[in-house]
Amino acid sequence: MVHVVVERKHDQVVIETLLADLSLKHSFDVHVAGGRDAGRPLARKILVLQEQPVAFVFDTDTSDPSSSADLEQSLHSYFNLRAPGPPFLLVAMAPTIDILLADHPQTIEKRLGRRLSAAERVAARFEPRGFLRAHLKDLGVPEVTDLFRSLNKTDLETLRKDKRIVKLRGFIEKQSASSQKKRRAG
Amino acid sequence: MIESKDYDEPAAIDAIAKLRFRLESRPPGTMAILFSVKNFTTATELFAQFAVPLNVLLWSAADLDKALPAGSMLTSLREKYRIAIERGWANYPL
């Protein structure tokens, strides 16, 4: 079993939506921690006590690449504290998971019925959640979470090809296949 | 020794550093607990983990939400202490 730990309920909806097709062939669970800074200890608890692979999907809360890199390095130290254990994967969303839509603006543009201006694209990438919240009425949804819930097949395919999601999906597929192989061998 | 933080931000390293400084003048084996309703930064957790000896246990908001309603503060404290001894873990989540 592979465990994916996210920080908030919103993140859980996004991840489960983007991984829904994997659940038919691979065994994984998405855990919601109690918010910011609660995901780390939960992810490590699963890694150390259950000794199963864990993917930790987290918001960096910054668009600055070097700050995001520092945070990722700290988290590597955090999860590598003791003797090598089960594999873990860090999936950084800079600044928040909503960057997935901002990095693929065609998903937003289709709903708005127009192209985003250059300034809007920059704003969306810098503060994706704020941008989406400001345009909820035009996007036709009450909450940002509903945007992800209502992705059509084309948009789902687009987001599933995002490099961060590809990394996460690859990790789940690899670890799931590895544990199935061990079960058969045992 | 107990300290609690009810700030808008996660507890930072200086909270642990100050606790550890106070512990230096106490008998060996004295432990401290740091409660924080906004949890802890990664740096704070790493510091609590790497500092020798491990004498500060961390309690997050989620820990309090589990232990307080169940009336299991003492049981939970023992469990956190046990994991700290067995695993060297300052912030074991309940």
Side-chain angles (χ1 to χ4, degrees), chain B residues 45-61:
Chain B
E45 281 198 65
L46 283 170
F47 179 56
Q49 202 65 58
F50 281 120
V52 177
L54 192 168
N55 53 11
V56 179
L57 299 182
L58 307 182
W59 277 66
S60 68

Side-chain angles (χ1 to χ4, degrees), chain A residues 34-38 40-42 44-46 48-49 51 71 74-75 77-78 81-82, chain B residues 10 38-42 45-46 49-50 62 66 83 87-94:
Chain A
R36 185 90 175 97
D37 295 306
R40 277 188 322 269
L42 175 61
R44 192 168 66 173
K45 181 180 181 178
I46 296 170
V48 174
L49 295 187
E51 293 184 348
L71 176 58
S74 298
L75 286 172
S77 302
Y78 181 85
L81 276 175
R82 294 290 179 256
Chain B
K38 286 293 182 186
N39 304 324
F40 308 92
T41 63
T42 307
E45 281 198 65
L46 283 170
Q49 202 65 58
F50 281 120
K66 282 202 179 109
I83 296 290
R87 305 266 183 177
W89 199 340
N91 189 20
Y92 167 71
L94 296 172

Side-chain angles (χ1 to χ4, degrees), chain A residues 44-65:
Chain A
R44 192 168 66 173
K45 181 180 181 178
I46 296 170
L47 201 61
V48 174
L49 295 187
Q50 295 184 30
E51 293 184 348
Q52 292 182 336
V54 171
F56 180 43
V57 182
F58 62 99
D59 294 341
T60 64
D61 290 335
T62 176
S63 297
D64 175 49

Side-chain angles (χ1 to χ4, degrees), chain A residues 90-105:
Chain A
L90 299 176
V91 184
M93 297 288 180
T96 64
I97 202 167
D98 312 287
I99 191 65
L100 290 173
L101 287 176
D103 274 351
H104 303 280

